[in-house]
Amino acid sequence: LPRFIGNARSWFSYFRSGVALLLVGLFLNLSFYPDLLKYQAGNQLASFLNKNYPDQQLGRISMYFPSGEFYMKQHVWQTDLLSITNKTFNKAKLLYVTDEELKLLEPNKVNFETLNVFNGFPITMLNLRFLNPATREQELKKTYLLRLP
């Protein structure tokens, strides 16, 4: 450090770079990412379940949503479509499914009640179509919270 202090020009570029990184980091953490978190369906689901169904267990077929599982108070059970259609899955009455999985449940005559629909986007996979407010709605994917009988 003493060798940089002697030469005023050499430490000034490090200082400017440090300030620029600090400002970019503050913008990303205080403004950019908090606004995007509302598009993360797992977070929406966790908030909804913690408020409306705090004591009920949740099942999922293939969806992986680490942010939602982190914020949820209840355990998430993994299952498969066959267990749901054969009615052998009894660890949870609530099921979180994607649009594709919902389309597989309907022809198998699985009875369910749709409790909520979430529009989400994995914010770790940002793209320009999602960042553009005019095309954002087209990028959102629907996920469903179902209640099994």
Side-chain angles (χ1 to χ4, degrees):
L1 187 63
R3 69 176 184 212
F4 293 121
I5 295 173
N7 186 355
R9 291 203 175 261
S10 65
W11 71 268
F12 189 68
S13 61
Y14 291 110
F15 178 74
R16 284 190 320 204
S17 298
V19 169
L21 285 172
L22 180 68
L23 292 175
V24 168
L26 285 173
F27 167 73
L28 289 175
N29 289 307
L30 297 177
S31 178
F32 185 71
Y33 280 115
D35 287 342
L36 291 180
L37 284 178
K38 64 184 176 186
Y39 293 104
Q40 197 135 321
N43 290 6
Q44 297 172 32
L45 171 73
S47 175
F48 182 79
L49 283 178
N50 289 339
K51 185 165 45 165
N52 299 307
Y53 303 97
D55 298 328
Q56 293 195 23
Q57 300 291 312
L58 178 70
R60 65 181 170 96
I61 296 176
S62 66
M63 180 175 293
Y64 177 63
F65 53 104
S67 65
E69 290 182 29
F70 177 78
Y71 290 111
M72 287 176 48
K73 295 177 182 170
Q74 54 272 75
H75 185 73
V76 179
W77 297 95
Q78 173 98 27
T79 187
D80 56 18
L81 184 62
L82 188 61
S83 297
I84 301 292
T85 55
N86 292 342
K87 297 180 177 147
T88 57
F89 179 68
N90 56 8
K91 293 182 179 178
K93 291 294 180 192
L94 300 178
L95 188 64
Y96 186 53
V97 296
T98 63
D99 201 25
E100 296 82 22
E101 294 166 349
L102 183 69
K103 290 175 184 169
L104 293 173
L105 289 174
E106 291 169 344
N108 286 312
K109 297 186 172 50
V110 174
N111 294 328
F112 59 84
E113 173 191 359
T114 303
L115 298 177
N116 205 342
V117 179
F118 303 98
N119 291 316
F121 185 86
I123 64 167
T124 56
M125 311 283 243
L126 289 177
N127 60 41
L128 292 176
R129 291 184 308 273
F130 176 74
L131 291 175
N132 182 357
T135 58
R136 184 172 295 150
E137 286 294 320
Q138 300 161 359
E139 292 296 307
L140 298 176
K141 296 189 181 355
K142 291 188 180 301
T143 54
Y144 303 86
L145 178 63
L146 310 175
R147 183 192 324 249
L148 299 172

